[in-house]
Amino acid sequence: YRGYPIEQLAEQSSFLEVAYLLIYGALPTGPDFKVFEGEVMKHTFVHVDAEGLFKSFRYDAHPMAILCSAFSALGSFYEEANPSLRGQNLFTKTDAESLANMDKQIYRLIGKATTFAAMAYRVRQGRPFVTPPTGLSYTSGFLYQMDYLGQDGYKPSPTLAKALDVLFILHADHELNASCIAAGVASLYGPLHGGANEAVIRMLLAIGSPDNVPGYLAAVKRREKVLSGFGHRVYKTSDPRSFVIRKLADEVFKEIGRDELLDTAMALHDAAMADEYFTSRRLAPNVDFW
């Protein structure tokens, strides 16, 4: 990202610092980051009418469909950000007012992204929405909005918050080609793009247990099944982000305990990496697998 190795940013930076880097071209100074973080967190709050939009979805609606609708709806809430109402040169005039307006929309979109995602999750869980907390980091606040159930003094796990922050960094600017936020969400909707990690989970559930891995790989070779989470159109050897996530996964599961899906994933990884059929085709686990 902007000349910085992804491993270095994952270890030493936060997602909001990386977001600043990608948007403005340089890592923020201390004062700059304080302003940026403060503005983003202030904009995590959403208009009360947005709750009605979320409540209109069925409990089993796909969260990406909900997010697409929510981001599209933002254009109807903030007139000053809508070029159709304020003129096509709203964000291209490059004067101080135009740049300040653009910055405000950056804060607004980054801030509301986690709130919208948490609201979409809680729709599917049948839970009431949670007001964004104060005093927590960007990812800790996101976890809080998803998991808070009225407990006194509840705070999300720092290990899980750090893991999520690194995941956000690793996905922050990977061949992003959509020209607007709603289109970006839509382009990440599906088993070959942003939903590839969902496809991996569904594959592991279908495999069922480590004992079924050989049979599944045999079906993949016969082209009866799809091996999700392996291979990459750009990285022809291995996805550098996968090594960062693999280390993170070990830390997360050390805290929350192992899961049968993890055992199945490890068995699938080991079997595929020991099989010449997959290694000769350069099908290594990618970031979506881990």
Side-chain angles (χ1 to χ4, degrees):
Y1 297 171
R2 300 281 194 175
Y4 289 91
I6 188 67
E7 298 87 351
Q8 179 181 340
L9 293 172
E11 182 177 348
Q12 300 179 14
S13 296
S14 69
F15 169 70
L16 288 184
E17 287 176 327
V18 171
Y20 186 102
L21 167 68
L22 294 173
I23 295 167
Y24 298 109
L27 286 169
T29 64
D32 287 341
F33 181 70
K34 185 176 181 180
V35 171
F36 183 75
E37 182 182 39
E39 289 295 327
V40 167
M41 299 308 292
K42 181 174 73 176
H43 284 282
T44 55
F45 296 88
V46 300
H47 196 288
V48 66
D49 289 347
E51 293 189 7
L53 172 67
F54 280 84
K55 290 177 180 178
S56 68
F57 285 92
R58 280 174 52 91
Y59 68 90
D60 58 351
H62 196 288
M64 293 297 282
I66 300 175
L67 280 181
C68 286
S69 300
F71 278 113
S72 295
L74 280 181
S76 66
F77 282 96
Y78 305 106
E79 179 182 336
E80 80 279 5
N82 193 332
S84 296
L85 299 175
R86 292 299 182 92
Q88 290 299 314
N89 64 344
L90 176 63
F91 295 116
T92 60
K93 290 185 290 187
T94 69
D95 58 14
E97 181 180 0
S98 175
L99 293 175
N101 191 18
M102 187 183 301
D103 282 341
K104 186 175 183 179
Q105 309 322 312
I106 290 170
Y107 305 145
R108 181 172 279 156
L109 290 168
I110 297 176
K112 287 173 176 31
T114 51
T115 302
F116 282 166
M119 292 173 74
Y121 171 76
R122 293 183 77 96
V123 165
R124 290 176 57 85
Q125 298 296 315
R127 299 175 182 175
F129 303 129
V130 174
T131 301
T134 57
L136 295 180
S137 70
Y138 185 71
T139 49
S140 287
F142 180 31
L143 291 173
Y144 182 96
Q145 291 181 80
M146 288 198 297
D147 296 334
Y148 177 68
L149 294 174
Q151 310 96 312
D152 290 337
Y154 171 73
K155 286 187 177 181
S157 160
T159 300
L160 299 184
K162 174 60 178 177
L164 186 60
D165 199 71
V166 172
L167 286 176
F168 282 1
I169 290 173
L170 297 179
H171 288 85
D173 183 32
H174 192 64
E175 300 181 276
L176 185 64
N177 56 8
S179 61
C180 67
I181 296 298
V185 173
S187 68
L188 292 174
Y189 185 179
L192 295 182
H193 299 286
N197 45 20
E198 178 186 346
V200 171
I201 296 297
R202 293 185 183 278
M203 175 186 69
L204 295 174
L205 288 171
I207 294 172
S209 73
D211 294 337
N212 298 328
V213 165
Y216 189 87
L217 289 179
V220 171
K221 294 177 184 179
R222 296 192 301 269
R223 300 194 176 187
E224 298 171 358
K225 300 288 186 181
V226 174
L227 186 62
S228 298
F230 282 73
H232 197 279
R233 293 186 180 184
V234 174
Y235 304 126
K236 298 305 182 183
T237 52
S238 59
D239 186 335
R241 302 169 300 164
S242 66
F243 298 108
V244 179
I245 294 184
R246 173 73 183 273
K247 180 181 178 182
L248 270 178
D250 292 338
E251 296 173 0
V252 168
F253 285 113
K254 188 182 298 182
E255 176 164 324
I256 68 174
R258 292 182 70 87
D259 184 276
E260 188 174 9
L261 279 184
L262 175 64
D263 295 331
T264 302
M266 295 301 298
L268 182 63
H269 167 272
D270 295 341
M273 291 298 90
D275 192 319
E276 191 271 341
Y277 178 91
F278 299 104
T279 56
S280 66
R281 290 167 171 77
R282 298 180 177 180
L283 294 176
N286 58 38
V287 67
D288 296 304
F289 182 82
W290 290 115

